[in-house]
Amino acid sequence: MNSSIVVAAEPEERHGVTFREAFWVWLRVAALSFGGPAGQIAVMHRILVEEKRWIGETRFLHALNYCMLLPGPEAQQLAVYIGWLLHRIPGGLVAGTLFILPGYISLMILSWLYAAYGEIGPIQALFFGLKAAVLAIVIEAVFRVGKRALKNRVMIGLAALSFVMIFFFHAPFPLIILAAAFIGFIGHATGFKAFSGSIGHGEAKGETDEPAAIDRAFAEQIPDHVRPSSSRAIKITVICLVLWLGPVVALVYAFGWDNVFSNIGLFFSKMAVITFGGAYAVLAYMAQQAVEYYHWLQPGEMLVGLGMAETTPGPLISVVQFVGFMAAFRDPGVLDPMMAGALGGTLAKWTTFVPCFLWIFLGGPYIEALRGNKALTASLSAITAAVVGVILNLAIWFAIHTIFREVEPVHAFPFAFDAPKFSSVDPWALLLSVGAAIAIFRFKVGMIPTLAACCLAGMVLFYAGALS
C-alpha cells in the first residue's frame, strides 16, 4: 500500500512542480489568453517554456502538432496536454477548465446584455463597429496562417483547392481535412520534398543545456500515466463519452428531437467532432447552419458573437456559447428566456469542450510514444495548408455579410454560392473595415485597441445620425 502511494507521487517529485504552483500558473495563463490561438500559444510558450522551464521546446511543439490535428481549439487542448503531462488527469482537468472559465463567465454576461439590450440603438451601433473590426481580424488570420503554412507551391495549391471546394461546391469540411491528411501522408511516403518540412511553428531551437522539468523527469523514467494502456484507454473513453453525450441523450429522451435544447446538444456534439483548424476554419459552417437551417441567429449576429469571443479570454470557438444562448433565449418553452439562454449557452459550451479532454487523455500516451514521427508532421503540413483555404472562405463570407446589406444565391450546377448585390454596399461598414485593416496590417495595432476603436466609431456614427 505504501509503495503504491510512493509510485503515485513520484512524477510530481521528479519534475519538482507542485499541483498548487501549477494551479496558479494555469490561472495566469487563462487570464492572458486573448488574441486567438496564436496569442494563446505564444503566452503558454513564454510562460511554460521560457519562464518556468516546465516543458522543452521540442516536446512543446510535438504536443502542439498533435493538438492541431484534433478537432477543437488547439490552444486549450495544448494546455490540457501539458497539464496532463505534469499532474496526470487532475492536472489536465484543471489546466483545461481554467483555460475556458474566464471566457465562460464573460460571454455569459455579454450574451445577457445583447439579449436584453441588443435592439437598442446605441448597443446596435457598438456591435456595428465590432463586426467591422472582426472582419479585419479574420482577414489578418488568413495572412498569419498562410505565411506560416504555405511554404511552397504544393501547399499554395492545396489551399487554393480547399477554398474552391468549400466556397463554390460546399464540400464537407471534414472531407477536406481528411483528404489533406491523406495527401500529406502519401506525399511523405513517396518522398515528395514539399511535405518534408516543418509546418512553420518554428524549429526546435532555443533549447538550453539545462533540460526542462518534464524532459528531465521523463529522461529518468517515463511515468505510468504517459505509457499507453488499453485498459486505461477504455475507462477514459467510457467516462468521457458518458459525461459528453449523457446529457444530450437525456434531453432527447425527455423532450424529443425537435426541442431546442436537444438540437443544441446534438448540433454542438457534432461540431465538436468536425471543428478542425479552430474557430476561424469552421465558423462559416457553423454560421450557415445556425442562420439558414436552425434559424437561431441573423447573419450579422454571428459576427457579433465572434466579436464577443475575440474580446474575452479563451478560445475563439467559445462563440458557440453565444449561439446556444440566443437559440434557447428565442425558444425558451416554459422557462424564463434568460434562464433558458444561460442553460443553452452552457450546454453548447459543455458539448463542445468535454470532447477535448477525451482526445488528450485518450491519445496523449500514444502520441508521446510517436515523438519524432515524420508522417504525422507531413499530414499536419497538408492539413494546415487546407485550413488556410477554409479560413479564406470564412473571410469572404464575413465580408459579404458585413459590407453588403443584401446577397443573392447563385445556383449553376455544380456551383452554389452567395453573391453580394453591389448596389447594397454599406459605405460606413466598408470604411470601418478598411480602417481596421490598415490599423492591423500597416500600424500593427493590437486586437483589443482595434476592436475598442471600431466600437467607439460605431457609437459616434450612431449619435451623428449616420446609421439608419
Side-chain angles (χ1 to χ4, degrees):
M1 181 69 176
N2 291 336
S3 62
S4 65
I5 294 175
V6 172
V7 171
E10 277 183 350
E12 184 173 278
E13 293 176 353
R14 284 202 183 95
H15 58 56
V17 181
T18 67
F19 196 91
R20 179 186 294 273
E21 180 187 2
F23 176 90
W24 291 109
V25 170
W26 288 121
L27 193 60
R28 177 184 167 199
V29 168
L32 297 173
S33 59
F34 291 91
Q40 293 155 4
I41 291 166
V43 165
M44 279 190 281
H45 185 275
R46 187 178 72 245
I47 295 176
L48 304 179
V49 178
E50 299 175 6
E51 178 184 326
K52 295 293 184 180
R53 292 295 298 159
W54 285 357
I55 183 170
E57 182 88 13
T58 302
R59 187 173 247 111
F60 182 89
L61 293 179
H62 177 74
L64 177 58
N65 287 349
Y66 171 57
C67 294
M68 286 195 67
L69 279 171
L70 297 173
E74 63 266 30
Q76 189 253 0
Q77 290 166 342
L78 180 61
V80 176
Y81 195 110
I82 298 175
W84 165 77
L85 285 177
L86 284 168
H87 298 112
R88 303 169 295 284
I89 288 179
L93 290 172
V94 166
T97 302
L98 287 179
F99 197 88
I100 62 175
L101 187 59
Y104 170 79
I105 296 172
S106 302
L107 275 171
M108 189 63 71
I109 295 171
L110 289 175
S111 298
W112 186 91
L113 289 173
Y114 181 80
Y117 304 109
E119 298 303 318
I120 298 176
I123 301 297
Q124 289 180 313
L126 185 146
F127 285 114
F128 176 85
L130 190 68
K131 289 186 289 185
V134 168
L135 174 58
I137 291 169
V138 173
I139 293 173
E140 193 266 343
V142 176
F143 285 89
R144 185 182 65 234
V145 179
K147 183 178 179 180
R148 183 187 68 189
L150 308 183
K151 298 296 186 180
N152 53 60
R153 292 181 179 179
V154 173
M155 296 303 172
I156 294 174
L158 278 175
L161 181 61
S162 170
F163 168 76
V164 169
M165 293 305 297
I166 196 168
F167 185 83
F168 291 105
F169 297 96
H170 289 186
F173 179 70
L175 180 62
I176 291 175
I177 293 299
L178 290 174
F182 180 74
I183 291 172
F185 179 82
I186 295 300
H188 168 75
T190 56
F192 200 40
K193 291 184 179 180
F195 297 95
S196 63
S198 91
I199 63 167
H201 290 301
E203 301 299 327
K205 58 186 178 181
E207 298 277 18
T208 65
D209 294 334
E210 178 67 24
I214 291 175
D215 300 313
R216 183 176 63 250
F218 287 12
E220 296 177 9
Q221 181 179 338
I222 301 297
D224 180 67
H225 73 282
V226 180
R227 299 177 185 272
S229 168
S230 298
S231 60
R232 185 169 61 242
I234 293 173
K235 292 178 183 177
I236 289 171
T237 301
V238 171
I239 292 172
C240 288
L241 286 177
V242 170
L243 290 172
W244 172 18
L245 298 176
V248 180
V249 173
L251 286 168
V252 173
Y253 178 79
F255 303 111
W257 295 94
D258 294 330
N259 181 267
V260 65
F261 292 103
S262 300
N263 286 330
I264 290 171
L266 290 168
F267 176 69
F268 288 109
S269 293
K270 179 177 70 172
M271 286 286 298
V273 182
I274 67 171
T275 50
F276 294 90
Y280 283 127
V282 79
L283 197 59
Y285 169 76
M286 187 200 310
Q288 289 163 356
Q289 291 293 303
V291 173
E292 299 170 10
Y293 181 77
Y294 290 103
H295 306 292
W296 290 336
L297 304 176
Q298 299 299 317
E301 288 183 322
M302 182 57 72
L303 288 167
V304 170
L306 182 59
M308 291 180 182
E310 288 275 14
T311 55
T312 54
L316 299 179
I317 196 65
S318 293
V319 68
V320 301
Q321 184 179 340
F322 173 76
V323 177
F325 187 103
M326 297 308 300
F329 172 80
R330 287 170 173 160
D331 187 11
V334 298
L335 297 175
D336 173 78
M338 287 299 182
M339 176 61 70
L343 292 174
T346 301
L347 178 61
K349 196 103 168 191
W350 179 270
T351 51
T352 298
F353 283 95
V354 169
C356 296
F357 295 95
L358 170 61
W359 313 142
I360 299 302
F361 296 152
L362 178 63
Y366 301 94
I367 294 303
E368 281 293 302
L370 287 173
R371 288 186 64 210
N373 187 292
K374 295 182 178 179
L376 280 178
T377 301
S379 293
L380 184 58
S381 298
I383 287 175
T384 309
V387 164
V388 175
V390 176
I391 297 175
L392 178 60
N393 164 72
L394 170 64
I396 293 176
W397 189 88
F398 272 177
I400 289 173
H401 287 92
T402 299
I403 297 173
F404 299 92
R405 297 188 179 97
E406 298 179 36
V407 298
E408 53 185 353
V410 176
H411 297 285
F413 184 82
F415 299 101
F417 59 95
D418 289 335
K421 288 186 176 180
F422 290 97
S423 59
S424 69
V425 65
D426 186 331
W428 292 116
L430 177 60
L431 182 63
L432 280 181
S433 297
V434 171
I438 292 174
I440 290 174
F441 284 95
R442 176 66 179 84
F443 297 104
K444 309 299 181 185
V445 178
M447 180 190 67
I448 299 298
T450 302
L451 288 166
C454 285
C455 288
L456 178 61
M459 297 291 287
V460 170
L461 288 172
F462 171 76
Y463 284 109
L467 299 181
S468 56

